[in-house]
Amino acid sequence: MQDRDAEQRESRARELTLAMAQQREALARQDPVLARAHEQTPPLEWRLRTGGFEGLFRMIVEQQVSVAAAASIWKRVCEGLGEVTPEAVLGRDIETLRAFGLSGQKARYGQEIARAQTEGHIDFAHLGRLGDDEAIVALTAIKGVGRWTAETFLMFCEGRVDVFPAGDVALQEALRWAEGADERLKEKAFYQRADIWRPHRSVAAHLLWGWYGAVKRGEVALED
């Protein structure tokens, strides 16, 4: 079952990656602000992650730590739980979960997500039947799941193509660079600005993230 899920996820990721290449071209023609980022950013892959309870729990676990630390902690969580399921998380107390490397807050949030699933407040198996806005409402109803987490979960764990996490500081900064602005747009204003990129806002986010990373790594120089 896991092998089949992985194959389906890889197939979907390939489809999204191919589509993203074409959609980037269209976005660059539509919005000149994105043209520079498009020209300076190499082809990007759409990396789909495991979804469902495991995917959302992992996103919580990995927040606000380095990539290396996130990988190390998640490995310990998987080894400690044996199987990453709501039942396994609820079957451990907070101190046991903390022993796997989680903070107390992240351990509690993991149990909140697990309870939401086991008590029927959210059904990850049928989340795909909800529209983007409905899915965000359902996810953010869980304690510990903010809007940014919900939006990035829908992008990277469900492969949704028109979700935009306007609260993301890296995206805000990338747009500021692209527009040559003095200040970053606030979240509400950024949502409005991103409307022009519908129905491919997730692709715009990938592009801005990719360009932001290239600038931070020194691969692209910003003009003074």
Side-chain angles (χ1 to χ4, degrees):
M1 181 64 176
Q2 289 182 344
D3 289 344
R4 186 176 67 181
D5 289 344
E7 289 176 1
Q8 291 176 341
R9 190 163 58 248
E10 290 174 5
S11 176
R12 175 61 175 157
R14 286 193 295 270
E15 291 175 3
L16 289 166
T17 296
L18 289 172
M20 181 161 57
Q22 297 177 334
Q23 292 156 5
R24 275 180 52 168
E25 296 274 0
L27 285 168
R29 291 192 299 269
Q30 178 185 7
D31 188 346
V33 169
L34 292 183
R36 179 184 177 193
H38 173 62
E39 291 171 1
Q40 296 180 327
T41 305
L44 300 169
E45 291 185 22
W46 194 309
R47 298 181 183 275
L48 272 186
R49 300 166 54 132
T50 300
F53 168 78
E54 179 179 340
L56 186 58
F57 181 35
R58 183 173 183 177
M59 296 198 81
I60 294 292
V61 169
E62 294 181 341
Q63 285 177 16
Q64 298 178 331
V65 296
S66 69
V67 173
S72 176
I73 294 170
W74 184 246
K75 182 174 183 291
R76 290 172 62 188
V77 168
C78 292
E79 291 173 349
L81 292 177
E83 186 178 9
V84 184
T85 64
E87 294 76 16
V89 171
L90 292 174
R92 273 75 170 181
D93 59 25
I94 297 298
E95 289 307 311
T96 300
L97 294 174
R98 289 186 63 188
F100 300 156
L102 300 179
S103 66
Q105 184 181 61
K106 289 184 178 182
R108 287 189 291 272
Y109 287 166
Q111 291 198 335
E112 291 289 345
I113 299 169
R115 272 191 289 272
Q117 171 75 1
T118 58
E119 294 176 4
H121 300 303
I122 191 167
D123 184 351
F124 288 105
H126 297 99
L127 193 65
R129 297 179 182 178
L130 300 180
D132 296 336
D133 291 340
E134 293 175 307
I136 289 170
V137 169
L139 289 165
T140 55
I142 305 170
K143 185 176 181 180
V145 180
R147 186 176 181 92
W148 180 90
T149 301
E151 289 166 336
T152 53
F153 172 84
L154 293 176
M155 286 178 62
F156 294 113
C157 296
E158 291 213 333
R160 300 209 185 197
V161 300
D162 193 33
V163 179
F164 193 83
D168 188 275
V169 175
L171 292 180
Q172 293 173 358
E173 185 69 353
L175 183 70
R176 185 184 73 81
W177 293 340
E179 292 186 328
D182 293 330
E183 297 182 352
R184 297 194 296 260
L185 285 180
K186 301 297 184 183
E187 185 174 356
K188 183 177 180 180
F190 202 5
Y191 280 123
Q192 294 173 342
R193 175 67 176 81
D195 272 344
I196 192 176
W197 303 327
R198 290 180 183 270
H200 305 301
R201 289 181 300 165
S202 297
V203 174
H206 272 82
L207 176 56
L208 288 172
W209 271 323
W211 188 55
Y212 176 87
V215 171
K216 296 298 279 188
R217 292 189 298 271
E219 298 166 1
V220 170
L222 295 176
E223 298 173 1
D224 295 330

